[in-house]
Amino acid sequence: VKKSLTIKEKFSLAFYNHKKNNLKVAASLYNEILKINSNHFEANYLLGSLLLQTKRFDKAQQLFEKALKINSNHGDTYNNLGITFGELKKPDKAIDCFEKAIKILPENANAFNNIGNEYKNLGKIKEAINSYQKAIEIEPDNIKTYNNLGLAFVAAGERKVNLIEEPIVDAKQIHEFKNAINCFKKIIEIKPHDSQAYNNLGVVFNTIGE
């Protein structure tokens, strides 16, 4: 007679398959666990993370919200729920989740980066820059955050006129573009063959007429 697995054994197997990127197997096992115990925190959180990964955002939201009802003090769940709300084009809810994640995990660079992305999408460039800078204070060698910060400085420096016909003369705008250049140069220091950073540098140099 085949022995049925305990919830603990199912979870270990689900987690193993999740890490190995066997997502269908992992999802099936997480769902089996939740059929037995719908209040299993880790199964709710990790299945939500898996569904976020596979872009099933509505269901991911439900699972993260369920997980937070079970444990309202889990920063990573708030962070992932924030990402989910961002994908669902609900920036205010996303920002609220990232703020809660940061309150629980003040050294969570990822949450600062994510909240920066939402501010940037809303056109709140100053707030985005502040958030990216906080993320870099926590993780000084994070290439992704330097890229985001550089692009935010570019957005801060862009004019509302046609740059081809009217060159930049405003010193403050030049300063923002120089900040962007420093960010892209920092990426190249960390990762010397980052083609995207070189491309972004070229674009900014062209913009300021260098």
Side-chain angles (χ1 to χ4, degrees):
V1 179
K2 189 176 178 182
K3 178 181 174 287
S4 60
L5 297 176
T6 65
I7 284 184
K8 188 175 180 180
E9 289 168 335
K10 279 180 193 274
F11 179 75
S12 294
L13 191 58
F15 189 62
Y16 172 81
N17 279 280
H18 196 165
K19 281 172 49 175
K20 291 290 184 181
N21 215 36
N22 299 324
L23 301 184
K24 278 191 174 181
V25 175
S28 177
L29 287 162
Y30 288 138
N31 276 310
E32 285 180 29
I33 292 166
L34 292 173
K35 281 179 185 174
I36 300 165
N37 177 10
S38 63
N39 290 320
H40 192 288
F41 171 78
E42 290 85 358
N44 278 289
Y45 168 66
L46 288 169
L47 181 56
S49 300
L50 187 155
L51 294 175
L52 173 58
Q53 186 180 347
T54 54
K55 302 186 184 303
R56 293 164 66 186
F57 304 122
D58 288 325
K59 183 63 177 171
Q61 176 192 333
Q62 292 172 20
L63 286 159
F64 290 137
E65 287 175 339
K66 174 73 173 179
L68 287 167
K69 285 180 182 175
I70 302 163
N71 178 4
S72 63
N73 198 42
H74 196 258
D76 287 335
T77 305
Y78 276 115
N79 186 56
N80 281 2
L81 181 56
I83 295 169
T84 305
F85 279 131
E87 294 288 352
L88 292 169
K89 311 299 180 192
K90 297 177 179 177
D92 292 339
K93 288 188 174 183
I95 288 168
D96 181 61
C97 286
F98 295 136
E99 285 174 345
K100 287 175 179 172
I102 290 163
K103 191 173 181 181
I104 296 165
L105 299 170
E107 296 301 302
N108 189 332
N110 194 27
F112 278 111
N113 184 62
N114 290 335
I115 201 170
N117 291 339
E118 289 304 319
Y119 282 134
K120 185 170 181 290
N121 291 339
L122 289 169
K124 296 182 176 181
I125 304 303
K126 184 178 178 181
E127 291 88 341
I129 288 169
N130 288 339
S131 296
Y132 293 140
Q133 287 173 330
K134 285 174 185 172
I136 285 169
E137 285 173 17
I138 299 165
E139 287 185 1
D141 292 332
N142 191 310
I143 288 171
K144 180 175 73 172
T145 309
Y146 272 111
N147 187 63
N148 288 340
L149 179 58
L151 294 174
F153 279 127
V154 169
E158 283 176 341
R159 291 168 64 93
K160 294 180 180 177
V161 296
N162 189 328
L163 291 174
I164 295 171
E165 296 177 2
E166 187 175 337
I168 296 170
V169 292
D170 185 275
K172 189 175 180 182
Q173 288 172 313
I174 291 286
H175 177 72
E176 301 290 9
F177 285 116
K178 294 286 187 183
N179 284 336
I181 287 167
N182 289 336
C183 289
F184 300 135
K185 283 183 174 179
K186 183 65 179 180
I187 293 171
I188 292 165
E189 278 180 32
I190 299 165
K191 188 182 176 187
H193 302 293
D194 192 298
S195 60
Q196 186 63 51
Y198 278 106
N199 181 70
N200 288 340
L201 262 180
V203 170
V204 179
F205 280 130
N206 182 62
T207 300
I208 62 175
E210 293 186 14

mmCIF file of all heavy atoms in Angstrom, residues 75-117:
data_model
loop_
_atom_site.group_PDB
_atom_site.id
_atom_site.type_symbol
_atom_site.label_atom_id
_atom_site.label_comp_id
_atom_site.label_asym_id
_atom_site.label_seq_id
_atom_site.Cartn_x
_atom_site.Cartn_y
_atom_site.Cartn_z
ATOM 1 N N GLY A 75 7.130 40.850 6.120
ATOM 2 C CA GLY A 75 7.509 41.902 5.183
ATOM 3 C C GLY A 75 7.567 41.445 3.738
ATOM 4 O O GLY A 75 7.160 42.180 2.828
ATOM 5 N N ASP A 76 8.081 40.240 3.496
ATOM 6 C CA ASP A 76 8.215 39.764 2.120
ATOM 7 C C ASP A 76 6.854 39.557 1.458
ATOM 8 O O ASP A 76 6.720 39.741 0.248
ATOM 9 C CB ASP A 76 9.022 38.466 2.080
ATOM 10 C CG ASP A 76 10.506 38.702 2.343
ATOM 11 O OD1 ASP A 76 10.976 39.831 2.077
ATOM 12 O OD2 ASP A 76 11.182 37.779 2.821
ATOM 13 N N THR A 77 5.851 39.192 2.250
ATOM 14 C CA THR A 77 4.508 39.044 1.676
ATOM 15 C C THR A 77 3.964 40.403 1.259
ATOM 16 O O THR A 77 3.389 40.545 0.172
ATOM 17 C CB THR A 77 3.543 38.375 2.683
ATOM 18 O OG1 THR A 77 4.094 37.133 3.114
ATOM 19 C CG2 THR A 77 2.186 38.110 2.039
ATOM 20 N N TYR A 78 4.158 41.414 2.107
ATOM 21 C CA TYR A 78 3.735 42.772 1.719
ATOM 22 C C TYR A 78 4.472 43.229 0.457
ATOM 23 O O TYR A 78 3.887 43.837 -0.433
ATOM 24 C CB TYR A 78 3.983 43.761 2.856
ATOM 25 C CG TYR A 78 2.889 43.804 3.884
ATOM 26 C CD1 TYR A 78 3.113 43.399 5.194
ATOM 27 C CD2 TYR A 78 1.607 44.254 3.542
ATOM 28 C CE1 TYR A 78 2.099 43.438 6.144
ATOM 29 C CE2 TYR A 78 0.595 44.298 4.490
ATOM 30 C CZ TYR A 78 0.845 43.883 5.783
ATOM 31 O OH TYR A 78 -0.168 43.922 6.723
ATOM 32 N N ASN A 79 5.776 42.918 0.389
ATOM 33 C CA ASN A 79 6.551 43.313 -0.783
ATOM 34 C C ASN A 79 6.004 42.651 -2.049
ATOM 35 O O ASN A 79 5.796 43.304 -3.080
ATOM 36 C CB ASN A 79 8.022 42.940 -0.588
ATOM 37 C CG ASN A 79 8.893 43.462 -1.698
ATOM 38 O OD1 ASN A 79 8.919 44.657 -1.983
ATOM 39 N ND2 ASN A 79 9.610 42.578 -2.361
ATOM 40 N N ASN A 80 5.743 41.341 -1.981
ATOM 41 C CA ASN A 80 5.225 40.628 -3.153
ATOM 42 C C ASN A 80 3.809 41.071 -3.509
ATOM 43 O O ASN A 80 3.452 41.144 -4.688
ATOM 44 C CB ASN A 80 5.261 39.118 -2.908
ATOM 45 C CG ASN A 80 6.652 38.549 -3.106
ATOM 46 O OD1 ASN A 80 7.594 39.281 -3.390
ATOM 47 N ND2 ASN A 80 6.792 37.243 -2.944
ATOM 48 N N LEU A 81 3.003 41.373 -2.494
ATOM 49 C CA LEU A 81 1.656 41.880 -2.770
ATOM 50 C C LEU A 81 1.760 43.251 -3.444
ATOM 51 O O LEU A 81 0.985 43.559 -4.359
ATOM 52 C CB LEU A 81 0.849 41.973 -1.476
ATOM 53 C CG LEU A 81 -0.599 42.478 -1.603
ATOM 54 C CD1 LEU A 81 -1.412 41.637 -2.584
ATOM 55 C CD2 LEU A 81 -1.281 42.504 -0.235
ATOM 56 N N GLY A 82 2.727 44.053 -3.012
ATOM 57 C CA GLY A 82 2.951 45.343 -3.655
ATOM 58 C C GLY A 82 3.314 45.189 -5.124
ATOM 59 O O GLY A 82 2.801 45.907 -5.989
ATOM 60 N N ILE A 83 4.207 44.241 -5.421
ATOM 61 C CA ILE A 83 4.566 43.974 -6.820
ATOM 62 C C ILE A 83 3.330 43.558 -7.612
ATOM 63 O O ILE A 83 3.111 44.004 -8.748
ATOM 64 C CB ILE A 83 5.646 42.870 -6.902
ATOM 65 C CG1 ILE A 83 6.943 43.352 -6.258
ATOM 66 C CG2 ILE A 83 5.895 42.462 -8.351
ATOM 67 C CD1 ILE A 83 7.973 42.252 -6.061
ATOM 68 N N THR A 84 2.494 42.720 -6.992
ATOM 69 C CA THR A 84 1.267 42.252 -7.647
ATOM 70 C C THR A 84 0.338 43.417 -7.952
ATOM 71 O O THR A 84 -0.189 43.532 -9.068
ATOM 72 C CB THR A 84 0.554 41.221 -6.751
ATOM 73 O OG1 THR A 84 1.461 40.160 -6.427
ATOM 74 C CG2 THR A 84 -0.667 40.643 -7.446
ATOM 75 N N PHE A 85 0.138 44.299 -6.978
ATOM 76 C CA PHE A 85 -0.719 45.475 -7.219
ATOM 77 C C PHE A 85 -0.123 46.369 -8.311
ATOM 78 O O PHE A 85 -0.851 46.952 -9.112
ATOM 79 C CB PHE A 85 -0.907 46.274 -5.928
ATOM 80 C CG PHE A 85 -1.953 45.725 -5.008
ATOM 81 C CD1 PHE A 85 -1.684 45.536 -3.656
ATOM 82 C CD2 PHE A 85 -3.230 45.401 -5.484
ATOM 83 C CE1 PHE A 85 -2.660 45.036 -2.796
ATOM 84 C CE2 PHE A 85 -4.205 44.903 -4.632
ATOM 85 C CZ PHE A 85 -3.920 44.715 -3.286
ATOM 86 N N GLY A 86 1.204 46.462 -8.347
ATOM 87 C CA GLY A 86 1.838 47.228 -9.413
ATOM 88 C C GLY A 86 1.512 46.648 -10.782
ATOM 89 O O GLY A 86 1.196 47.384 -11.723
ATOM 90 N N GLU A 87 1.590 45.331 -10.893
ATOM 91 C CA GLU A 87 1.261 44.658 -12.160
ATOM 92 C C GLU A 87 -0.210 44.836 -12.511
ATOM 93 O O GLU A 87 -0.574 44.870 -13.701
ATOM 94 C CB GLU A 87 1.603 43.168 -12.075
ATOM 95 C CG GLU A 87 3.086 42.861 -11.934
ATOM 96 C CD GLU A 87 3.871 43.121 -13.217
ATOM 97 O OE1 GLU A 87 3.252 43.398 -14.258
ATOM 98 O OE2 GLU A 87 5.119 43.046 -13.163
ATOM 99 N N LEU A 88 -1.061 44.949 -11.497
ATOM 100 C CA LEU A 88 -2.503 45.134 -11.713
ATOM 101 C C LEU A 88 -2.872 46.612 -11.901
ATOM 102 O O LEU A 88 -4.047 46.958 -11.914
ATOM 103 C CB LEU A 88 -3.283 44.540 -10.539
ATOM 104 C CG LEU A 88 -3.235 43.013 -10.412
ATOM 105 C CD1 LEU A 88 -3.813 42.560 -9.074
ATOM 106 C CD2 LEU A 88 -4.004 42.349 -11.561
ATOM 107 N N LYS A 89 -1.835 47.462 -12.023
ATOM 108 C CA LYS A 89 -2.032 48.905 -12.242
ATOM 109 C C LYS A 89 -2.814 49.557 -11.100
ATOM 110 O O LYS A 89 -3.706 50.372 -11.303
ATOM 111 C CB LYS A 89 -2.745 49.182 -13.580
ATOM 112 C CG LYS A 89 -2.148 48.467 -14.777
ATOM 113 C CD LYS A 89 -0.701 48.873 -15.008
ATOM 114 C CE LYS A 89 -0.114 48.150 -16.224
ATOM 115 N NZ LYS A 89 1.347 48.294 -16.307
ATOM 116 N N LYS A 90 -2.426 49.182 -9.871
ATOM 117 C CA LYS A 90 -3.016 49.785 -8.676
ATOM 118 C C LYS A 90 -1.879 50.382 -7.846
ATOM 119 O O LYS A 90 -1.487 49.850 -6.799
ATOM 120 C CB LYS A 90 -3.788 48.740 -7.871
ATOM 121 C CG LYS A 90 -4.989 48.156 -8.638
ATOM 122 C CD LYS A 90 -5.697 47.069 -7.849
ATOM 123 C CE LYS A 90 -6.899 46.525 -8.616
ATOM 124 N NZ LYS A 90 -7.567 45.417 -7.887
ATOM 125 N N PRO A 91 -1.307 51.508 -8.334
ATOM 126 C CA PRO A 91 -0.083 52.038 -7.706
ATOM 127 C C PRO A 91 -0.245 52.448 -6.255
ATOM 128 O O PRO A 91 0.685 52.271 -5.455
ATOM 129 C CB PRO A 91 0.280 53.229 -8.604
ATOM 130 C CG PRO A 91 -0.989 53.601 -9.307
ATOM 131 C CD PRO A 91 -1.742 52.322 -9.483
ATOM 132 N N ASP A 92 -1.396 53.023 -5.900
ATOM 133 C CA ASP A 92 -1.577 53.470 -4.504
ATOM 134 C C ASP A 92 -1.538 52.283 -3.545
ATOM 135 O O ASP A 92 -0.914 52.350 -2.473
ATOM 136 C CB ASP A 92 -2.897 54.233 -4.352
ATOM 137 C CG ASP A 92 -2.873 55.573 -5.077
ATOM 138 O OD1 ASP A 92 -1.754 56.076 -5.328
ATOM 139 O OD2 ASP A 92 -3.939 56.100 -5.405
ATOM 140 N N LYS A 93 -2.197 51.190 -3.933
ATOM 141 C CA LYS A 93 -2.174 49.983 -3.106
ATOM 142 C C LYS A 93 -0.772 49.381 -3.069
ATOM 143 O O LYS A 93 -0.335 48.868 -2.030
ATOM 144 C CB LYS A 93 -3.186 48.965 -3.624
ATOM 145 C CG LYS A 93 -4.633 49.349 -3.353
ATOM 146 C CD LYS A 93 -5.578 48.215 -3.717
ATOM 147 C CE LYS A 93 -7.017 48.545 -3.305
ATOM 148 N NZ LYS A 93 -7.947 47.433 -3.575
ATOM 149 N N ALA A 94 -0.075 49.435 -4.203
ATOM 150 C CA ALA A 94 1.287 48.917 -4.256
ATOM 151 C C ALA A 94 2.192 49.680 -3.290
ATOM 152 O O ALA A 94 2.930 49.080 -2.499
ATOM 153 C CB ALA A 94 1.824 49.015 -5.680
ATOM 154 N N ILE A 95 2.125 51.001 -3.335
ATOM 155 C CA ILE A 95 2.956 51.839 -2.470
ATOM 156 C C ILE A 95 2.642 51.570 -1.004
ATOM 157 O O ILE A 95 3.546 51.470 -0.166
ATOM 158 C CB ILE A 95 2.771 53.331 -2.830
ATOM 159 C CG1 ILE A 95 3.453 53.625 -4.169
ATOM 160 C CG2 ILE A 95 3.334 54.235 -1.732
ATOM 161 C CD1 ILE A 95 3.104 54.977 -4.765
ATOM 162 N N ASP A 96 1.362 51.428 -0.679
ATOM 163 C CA ASP A 96 0.965 51.133 0.698
ATOM 164 C C ASP A 96 1.600 49.825 1.179
ATOM 165 O O ASP A 96 2.108 49.739 2.304
ATOM 166 C CB ASP A 96 -0.564 51.052 0.785
ATOM 167 C CG ASP A 96 -1.040 50.767 2.197
ATOM 168 O OD1 ASP A 96 -0.765 51.578 3.096
ATOM 169 O OD2 ASP A 96 -1.699 49.721 2.415
ATOM 170 N N CYS A 97 1.612 48.812 0.306
ATOM 171 C CA CYS A 97 2.214 47.522 0.675
ATOM 172 C C CYS A 97 3.722 47.641 0.864
ATOM 173 O O CYS A 97 4.280 47.088 1.817
ATOM 174 C CB CYS A 97 1.911 46.478 -0.396
ATOM 175 S SG CYS A 97 0.209 45.895 -0.394
ATOM 176 N N PHE A 98 4.383 48.369 -0.037
ATOM 177 C CA PHE A 98 5.832 48.528 0.096
ATOM 178 C C PHE A 98 6.184 49.288 1.374
ATOM 179 O O PHE A 98 7.179 48.968 2.044
ATOM 180 C CB PHE A 98 6.414 49.242 -1.124
ATOM 181 C CG PHE A 98 6.284 48.456 -2.410
ATOM 182 C CD1 PHE A 98 5.872 49.076 -3.586
ATOM 183 C CD2 PHE A 98 6.579 47.106 -2.445
ATOM 184 C CE1 PHE A 98 5.754 48.363 -4.761
ATOM 185 C CE2 PHE A 98 6.462 46.371 -3.623
ATOM 186 C CZ PHE A 98 6.047 47.011 -4.781
ATOM 187 N N GLU A 99 5.376 50.290 1.722
ATOM 188 C CA GLU A 99 5.617 51.035 2.966
ATOM 189 C C GLU A 99 5.482 50.114 4.178
ATOM 190 O O GLU A 99 6.264 50.216 5.135
ATOM 191 C CB GLU A 99 4.653 52.210 3.066
ATOM 192 C CG GLU A 99 5.021 53.369 2.130
ATOM 193 C CD GLU A 99 3.995 54.486 2.122
ATOM 194 O OE1 GLU A 99 2.865 54.259 2.621
ATOM 195 O OE2 GLU A 99 4.320 55.582 1.617
ATOM 196 N N LYS A 100 4.502 49.209 4.138
ATOM 197 C CA LYS A 100 4.330 48.252 5.242
ATOM 198 C C LYS A 100 5.501 47.280 5.285
ATOM 199 O O LYS A 100 5.973 46.911 6.367
ATOM 200 C CB LYS A 100 3.006 47.516 5.089
ATOM 201 C CG LYS A 100 1.801 48.399 5.429
ATOM 202 C CD LYS A 100 0.488 47.695 5.154
ATOM 203 C CE LYS A 100 -0.685 48.610 5.538
ATOM 204 N NZ LYS A 100 -1.986 48.047 5.117
ATOM 205 N N ALA A 101 5.976 46.854 4.103
ATOM 206 C CA ALA A 101 7.132 45.958 4.051
ATOM 207 C C ALA A 101 8.356 46.626 4.661
ATOM 208 O O ALA A 101 9.097 46.006 5.440
ATOM 209 C CB ALA A 101 7.417 45.561 2.597
ATOM 210 N N ILE A 102 8.560 47.903 4.335
ATOM 211 C CA ILE A 102 9.719 48.651 4.849
ATOM 212 C C ILE A 102 9.610 48.864 6.356
ATOM 213 O O ILE A 102 10.614 48.812 7.078
ATOM 214 C CB ILE A 102 9.853 49.993 4.093
ATOM 215 C CG1 ILE A 102 10.307 49.729 2.650
ATOM 216 C CG2 ILE A 102 10.815 50.935 4.808
ATOM 217 C CD1 ILE A 102 10.096 50.899 1.711
ATOM 218 N N LYS A 103 8.394 49.077 6.836
ATOM 219 C CA LYS A 103 8.197 49.257 8.281
ATOM 220 C C LYS A 103 8.596 47.991 9.034
ATOM 221 O O LYS A 103 9.194 48.056 10.117
ATOM 222 C CB LYS A 103 6.728 49.598 8.556
ATOM 223 C CG LYS A 103 6.470 50.070 9.973
ATOM 224 C CD LYS A 103 5.048 50.568 10.151
ATOM 225 C CE LYS A 103 4.813 51.070 11.563
ATOM 226 N NZ LYS A 103 3.418 51.544 11.755
ATOM 227 N N ILE A 104 8.287 46.836 8.453
ATOM 228 C CA ILE A 104 8.630 45.557 9.088
ATOM 229 C C ILE A 104 10.104 45.223 8.864
ATOM 230 O O ILE A 104 10.791 44.738 9.762
ATOM 231 C CB ILE A 104 7.736 44.424 8.536
ATOM 232 C CG1 ILE A 104 6.266 44.690 8.901
ATOM 233 C CG2 ILE A 104 8.167 43.061 9.080
ATOM 234 C CD1 ILE A 104 5.265 43.845 8.128
ATOM 235 N N LEU A 105 10.589 45.489 7.641
ATOM 236 C CA LEU A 105 11.973 45.175 7.264
ATOM 237 C C LEU A 105 12.661 46.438 6.749
ATOM 238 O O LEU A 105 12.761 46.651 5.540
ATOM 239 C CB LEU A 105 11.991 44.087 6.180
ATOM 240 C CG LEU A 105 11.383 42.719 6.518
ATOM 241 C CD1 LEU A 105 11.275 41.866 5.272
ATOM 242 C CD2 LEU A 105 12.233 42.009 7.576
ATOM 243 N N PRO A 106 13.125 47.307 7.654
ATOM 244 C CA PRO A 106 13.689 48.589 7.226
ATOM 245 C C PRO A 106 14.943 48.471 6.370
ATOM 246 O O PRO A 106 15.344 49.428 5.723
ATOM 247 C CB PRO A 106 13.984 49.325 8.541
ATOM 248 C CG PRO A 106 13.774 48.359 9.634
ATOM 249 C CD PRO A 106 13.051 47.175 9.115
ATOM 250 N N GLU A 107 15.571 47.296 6.357
ATOM 251 C CA GLU A 107 16.772 47.096 5.537
ATOM 252 C C GLU A 107 16.442 46.335 4.251
ATOM 253 O O GLU A 107 17.338 45.756 3.622
ATOM 254 C CB GLU A 107 17.831 46.325 6.337
ATOM 255 C CG GLU A 107 18.348 47.077 7.550
ATOM 256 C CD GLU A 107 18.990 48.413 7.189
ATOM 257 O OE1 GLU A 107 19.942 48.408 6.395
ATOM 258 O OE2 GLU A 107 18.529 49.460 7.693
ATOM 259 N N ASN A 108 15.178 46.341 3.850
ATOM 260 C CA ASN A 108 14.757 45.627 2.641
ATOM 261 C C ASN A 108 14.980 46.523 1.418
ATOM 262 O O ASN A 108 14.119 47.316 1.041
ATOM 263 C CB ASN A 108 13.284 45.214 2.762
ATOM 264 C CG ASN A 108 12.839 44.290 1.643
ATOM 265 O OD1 ASN A 108 13.369 44.319 0.536
ATOM 266 N ND2 ASN A 108 11.851 43.451 1.946
ATOM 267 N N ALA A 109 16.138 46.391 0.805
ATOM 268 C CA ALA A 109 16.478 47.220 -0.359
ATOM 269 C C ALA A 109 15.502 46.988 -1.510
ATOM 270 O O ALA A 109 15.169 47.917 -2.254
ATOM 271 C CB ALA A 109 17.899 46.916 -0.815
ATOM 272 N N ASN A 110 15.055 45.758 -1.637
ATOM 273 C CA ASN A 110 14.135 45.422 -2.725
ATOM 274 C C ASN A 110 12.839 46.223 -2.627
ATOM 275 O O ASN A 110 12.313 46.722 -3.631
ATOM 276 C CB ASN A 110 13.843 43.916 -2.691
ATOM 277 C CG ASN A 110 13.177 43.423 -3.952
ATOM 278 O OD1 ASN A 110 13.346 43.990 -5.026
ATOM 279 N ND2 ASN A 110 12.411 42.356 -3.819
ATOM 280 N N ALA A 111 12.326 46.381 -1.411
ATOM 281 C CA ALA A 111 11.084 47.138 -1.215
ATOM 282 C C ALA A 111 11.291 48.612 -1.552
ATOM 283 O O ALA A 111 10.424 49.248 -2.164
ATOM 284 C CB ALA A 111 10.580 46.979 0.215
ATOM 285 N N PHE A 112 12.452 49.172 -1.175
ATOM 286 C CA PHE A 112 12.745 50.568 -1.533
ATOM 287 C C PHE A 112 12.837 50.724 -3.053
ATOM 288 O O PHE A 112 12.358 51.709 -3.623
ATOM 289 C CB PHE A 112 14.057 51.032 -0.882
ATOM 290 C CG PHE A 112 13.908 51.474 0.545
ATOM 291 C CD1 PHE A 112 14.451 50.736 1.583
ATOM 292 C CD2 PHE A 112 13.217 52.636 0.858
ATOM 293 C CE1 PHE A 112 14.322 51.140 2.904
ATOM 294 C CE2 PHE A 112 13.071 53.060 2.175
ATOM 295 C CZ PHE A 112 13.630 52.311 3.202
ATOM 296 N N ASN A 113 13.470 49.755 -3.713
ATOM 297 C CA ASN A 113 13.562 49.791 -5.175
ATOM 298 C C ASN A 113 12.174 49.712 -5.804
ATOM 299 O O ASN A 113 11.848 50.462 -6.739
ATOM 300 C CB ASN A 113 14.432 48.633 -5.667
ATOM 301 C CG ASN A 113 14.638 48.665 -7.166
ATOM 302 O OD1 ASN A 113 15.212 49.598 -7.710
ATOM 303 N ND2 ASN A 113 14.147 47.660 -7.848
ATOM 304 N N ASN A 114 11.352 48.820 -5.270
ATOM 305 C CA ASN A 114 10.002 48.634 -5.829
ATOM 306 C C ASN A 114 9.127 49.876 -5.645
ATOM 307 O O ASN A 114 8.381 50.261 -6.549
ATOM 308 C CB ASN A 114 9.338 47.421 -5.183
ATOM 309 C CG ASN A 114 9.973 46.117 -5.609
ATOM 310 O OD1 ASN A 114 10.567 46.033 -6.682
ATOM 311 N ND2 ASN A 114 9.862 45.101 -4.773
ATOM 312 N N ILE A 115 9.221 50.485 -4.467
ATOM 313 C CA ILE A 115 8.410 51.683 -4.236
ATOM 314 C C ILE A 115 8.904 52.821 -5.132
ATOM 315 O O ILE A 115 8.111 53.635 -5.634
ATOM 316 C CB ILE A 115 8.402 52.082 -2.741
ATOM 317 C CG1 ILE A 115 7.184 52.967 -2.428
ATOM 318 C CG2 ILE A 115 9.663 52.784 -2.316
ATOM 319 C CD1 ILE A 115 6.974 53.213 -0.935
ATOM 320 N N GLY A 116 10.216 52.836 -5.390
ATOM 321 C CA GLY A 116 10.760 53.805 -6.331
ATOM 322 C C GLY A 116 10.168 53.641 -7.721
ATOM 323 O O GLY A 116 9.832 54.627 -8.396
ATOM 324 N N ASN A 117 10.021 52.388 -8.149
ATOM 325 C CA ASN A 117 9.421 52.124 -9.465
ATOM 326 C C ASN A 117 7.999 52.663 -9.554
ATOM 327 O O ASN A 117 7.600 53.241 -10.569
ATOM 328 C CB ASN A 117 9.413 50.618 -9.751
ATOM 329 C CG ASN A 117 10.800 50.056 -9.966
ATOM 330 O OD1 ASN A 117 11.736 50.791 -10.277
ATOM 331 N ND2 ASN A 117 10.952 48.757 -9.800
#
